[in-house]
Amino acid sequence: MSVAIGLWYLVWRWGTSLNPDAWWFSVIVASAETLFFLGTLLFFYDIWREQDTPQRLPPSTRNEAQLDGEHGPIGVDVFITTYDEECALVAPSIVAANNLIVPDNIAVRVYLLDDGNRTGMAKIAKEFGVTYLSRDTNLGFKAGNLRNALFQSRGDFVVICDADTRLFPTFLQNTLGYFRDPKAAWVQTPHWFYDIPEGERWEHWGARHGGRFLAKCSYFFRFVSGKLRAGADPFLSDPRVFFDVIQRRRNRHGASFCCGAGSIHRREAVFEQAMKRKARDTRALAQNFGDSSPSAAMPCVPLEPYRFHVSEDIYTSILMHADRESNWISVYHPNVEARMLSPWSMKAWASQKLKYAGGTFDIMLRDNPIFQRGMRWQIKLHYAATFGSYLSVLWAPVLLLAPAFALVTGLSPIAAFTPAFFAHFLPAILVSELAILAACKGHDIGAGRALGMASLPINLRALSLVLRGKKPQFPPTSKKPGESEGWRYIRAHLVLLGVLAFAGVFGCVQGLWGEAGYGTSMLWVNLFWLAWNMSLLGRLALAALWRPDIAIAAAQISKGSETSDDFDTAPV
């Protein structure tokens, strides 16, 4: 219904509603609406149907795990990567890895991969009885760190953990069974940030900050913030829509991509792809190098089991999904099997978003799988949905600023706000909203929209950097609470909020004076969208005001090595 009514609206929009007095403005806005609709189509395809892979018991022999050799145990290496994190943060992750329940005929070895080459990390590795690995350089950053460990280990399967990944004891029990399928290259599990602040009731927050008057304004605060509690998930970190809806439904085509931490990989698949890439790149380099410098020595192409890239996880996923000859597939395990820490500062949030956006744009512009042979068209559409969500940075600003432009200039992208407009527009919006609500299984979709709007300045910067030929950086996301400098990361948002507020006031004044072009319908429609956009942008401004309780934060970060019953309450 949403697709049909959306098409009906766009046909009317282009055929009847364009404003001849501001045709250029009208065409720009209608084009942005059309691109938004195409992005919605990709999103609907992405989440069309849920089809989990049947869970099976862990293999007890090498033959059941589709491995060479009939005798001997199945080897599993657990890699815990770290660069500059503190020992107190990494230690619970080591304890959790040591507490894994090991199925029959499985041999587990835990490795601490310290790219910071620190004495303290070597000490805790020895204290907990795990293998410590470091290197002299940071070539390739996390991907290079993993490569160094792969060259010094021999497990048949590799579990990847970040410094703050606390595996549940049942991780291997619940993931190894998928590798009974010989084409299963890796299994990805959901990310669960157990430390996301729950906040406090607005009544209590108001009473603490302004007494009885602010306490009575709690309903207003709920409406403006879009959140039931003050300080709840200030950085919009809850990933359940992505993992429980998008990733889970991509599984129907074996297209869920790797997200790094909380995943387990078949070593054979990782190295097979790396060797193929090395051979292909060597042939290409030899041809180009021979043509340009026939007498010089050709440089060696490095073997990269995980692609040296800021987004090594999704990049490696793309390369495996594109190999139709081997026909590797990914499996998404829908239940939470680990817990992790979320960003607790604006600096960490902005750094993480810039890294994700820069990595995605770099892949999209320099090695886009959609235009390459080998990948099945169903999987290409899933990656197109990912790329499309980031490319919305090109048309989302039009929809963001269009109401403000209309209120300042008196020009409208619609020929007239007649009953015909509302008869077409309202059904399209309402049915689309109902479709998304139904598809997202009751998860909070408002946070995702606010995150998309809040990320616009960062995504624009990332796109600009990539277009200028600058490689995305690899900074690890800080998990330290209480970092300041929040305001510097929302300056663009504050400027936008100021511009939108000015436009709203200016439009209202013009309407009161009876200026031409400022009819009642025009004012109400544009003021509504203006307020909507401001509420989404304002969510991040509230995050800049948020300050954590340091004592609670420290307790949450140090927590994680327990094996108590609270594992059973993890969200699914």
Side-chain angles (χ1 to χ4, degrees):
M1 287 178 64
S2 177
V3 171
I5 295 177
L7 287 171
W8 174 64
Y9 167 76
L10 285 177
V11 169
W12 172 84
R13 182 79 174 85
W14 283 101
T16 306
S17 73
L18 297 181
N19 185 0
D21 297 327
W23 64 269
W24 55 273
F25 179 40
S26 193
V27 167
I28 289 174
V29 174
S31 299
E33 290 180 89
T34 304
L35 290 169
F36 180 82
F37 176 73
L38 292 176
T40 302
L41 292 183
L42 285 173
F43 178 69
F44 284 158
Y45 170 80
D46 223 15
I47 65 170
W48 188 254
R49 181 165 49 91
E50 191 170 285
Q51 183 176 318
D52 294 337
T53 302
Q55 191 171 348
R56 304 171 70 179
L57 293 174
S60 57
T61 66
R62 297 183 63 82
N63 185 53
E64 290 177 352
Q66 310 299 322
L67 298 171
D68 293 335
E70 298 182 2
H71 305 290
I74 300 168
V76 176
D77 296 331
V78 180
F79 291 168
I80 301 173
T81 61
T82 179
Y83 173 61
D84 62 357
E85 295 85 0
E86 297 178 358
C87 293
L89 185 145
V90 179
S93 300
I94 301 175
V95 172
N98 282 338
N99 286 339
L100 286 170
I101 298 172
V102 181
D104 293 339
N105 202 36
I106 305 292
V108 176
R109 190 169 185 179
V110 180
Y111 293 81
L112 179 60
L113 317 185
D114 179 22
D115 234 15
N117 200 9
R118 292 159 292 172
T119 304
M121 283 296 169
K123 183 178 179 181
I124 66 167
K126 182 177 181 180
E127 178 183 344
F128 289 113
V130 303
T131 302
Y132 176 80
L133 297 177
S134 63
R135 54 191 182 136
D136 296 330
T137 70
N138 297 121
L139 177 66
F141 298 89
K142 181 179 177 180
N145 195 7
L146 292 170
R147 182 182 75 164
N148 180 60
L150 285 168
F151 287 169
Q152 300 185 62
S153 59
R154 60 177 63 187
D156 302 293
F157 300 100
V158 175
V159 179
I160 296 179
C161 300
D162 287 340
D164 60 318
T165 305
R166 288 85 192 266
L167 299 173
F168 289 2
T170 54
F171 183 90
L172 296 178
Q173 283 183 313
N174 294 334
T175 58
L176 281 174
Y178 296 111
F179 291 105
R180 289 176 178 268
D181 182 344
K183 295 302 179 184
W186 75 87
V187 177
Q188 179 65 55
T189 67
H191 289 183
W192 173 39
F193 299 130
Y194 72 92
D195 67 328
I196 293 177
E198 296 180 357
E200 62 178 322
R201 295 175 61 88
W202 281 109
E203 295 89 337
H204 299 161
W205 181 90
R208 285 198 303 108
H209 289 83
R212 184 176 300 178
F213 173 75
L214 283 184
K216 290 184 177 180
C217 296
S218 58
Y219 292 104
F220 173 76
F221 293 141
R222 286 196 196 100
F223 174 76
V224 171
S225 67
K227 297 192 291 186
L228 297 177
R229 301 170 70 90
D233 191 9
F235 302 112
L236 308 173
S237 300
D238 190 341
R240 281 179 291 183
V241 171
F242 175 73
F243 282 102
D244 194 36
V245 179
I246 297 174
Q247 279 277 71
R248 189 170 185 177
R249 292 177 180 177
R250 288 180 175 186
N251 189 68
R252 71 185 189 274
H253 292 136
S256 299
F257 59 73
C258 175
C259 299
S263 61
I264 178 170
H265 303 243
R266 187 189 294 272
R267 179 183 289 259
E268 174 194 352
V270 173
F271 273 97
E272 179 190 282
Q273 287 303 303
M275 293 298 293
K276 286 183 176 181
R277 292 196 304 271
K278 179 179 171 68
R280 183 188 64 220
D281 294 345
T282 300
R283 286 194 299 268
L285 182 62
Q287 181 177 355
N288 297 333
F289 196 81
D291 294 341
S292 60
S293 306
S295 61
M298 188 181 74
C300 179
V301 175
L303 183 68
E304 300 177 9
Y306 294 97
R307 196 68 161 179
F308 285 8
H309 195 266
V310 65
S311 299
E312 83 289 335
D313 41 19
I314 185 175
Y315 206 163
T316 303
S317 303
I318 288 171
L319 295 170
M320 285 200 186
H321 281 144
D323 185 0
R324 179 168 289 189
E325 178 184 339
S326 296
N327 199 27
W328 293 113
I329 64 168
S330 59
V331 177
Y332 183 72
H333 175 69
N335 298 334
V336 173
E337 299 292 346
R339 50 181 174 177
M340 307 164 194
L341 295 171
S342 62
W344 270 55
S345 70
M346 284 300 303
K347 180 179 180 181
W349 179 87
S351 173
Q352 184 184 72
K353 297 306 174 189
L354 184 65
K355 181 169 64 173
Y356 290 166
T360 303
F361 284 131
D362 188 69
I363 295 172
M364 190 190 319
L365 296 176
R366 311 201 192 291
D367 201 6
N368 197 319
I370 296 173
F371 304 112
Q372 298 178 12
R373 298 177 61 184
M375 185 180 289
R376 290 186 291 127
W377 67 265
Q378 296 96 329
I379 301 179
K380 284 186 176 183
L381 284 178
H382 288 298
Y383 282 111
T386 296
F387 296 151
S389 67
Y390 279 97
L391 280 177
S392 65
V393 73
L394 299 176
W395 56 84
V398 174
L399 301 177
L400 170 66
L401 296 173
F405 184 84
L407 290 168
V408 170
T409 63
L411 300 176
S412 175
I414 304 292
F417 290 97
T418 61
F421 164 74
F422 292 102
H424 286 82
F425 179 73
L426 291 178
I429 287 293
L430 292 175
V431 175
S432 177
E433 191 73 7
L434 289 173
I436 293 174
L437 283 171
C440 291
K441 302 162 62 173
H443 294 306
D444 180 14
I445 60 175
R449 288 173 174 156
L451 182 62
M453 190 70 75
S455 301
L456 277 180
I458 293 175
N459 291 349
L460 280 170
R461 183 186 172 201
L463 179 59
S464 172
L465 290 171
V466 172
L467 289 174
R468 285 184 284 154
K470 295 188 176 181
K471 287 291 185 181
Q473 298 301 306
F474 294 74
T477 302
S478 173
K479 304 298 169 61
K480 296 180 181 179
E483 292 180 349
S484 57
E485 301 179 324
W487 289 108
R488 62 175 290 198
Y489 298 99
I490 63 164
R491 285 177 295 194
H493 303 78
L494 295 178
V495 170
L496 282 171
L497 285 170
V499 168
L500 298 183
F502 170 80
V505 173
F506 185 87
C508 289
V509 172
Q510 295 292 86
L512 290 174
W513 285 351
E515 293 291 332
Y518 290 88
T520 303
S521 297
M522 181 271 195
L523 281 174
W524 277 112
V525 170
N526 284 288
L527 286 172
F528 170 80
W529 285 116
L530 196 78
W532 176 267
N533 292 338
M534 290 181 70
S535 69
L536 295 178
L537 281 172
R539 292 281 291 270
L540 198 64
L542 289 174
L545 289 171
W546 179 78
R547 293 292 180 271
D549 184 312
I550 301 300
I552 294 176
Q556 286 182 306
I557 289 177
S558 62
K559 183 181 177 183
S561 59
E562 306 92 333
T563 57
S564 58
D565 292 338
D566 63 351
F567 289 128
D568 297 329
T569 65
V572 175

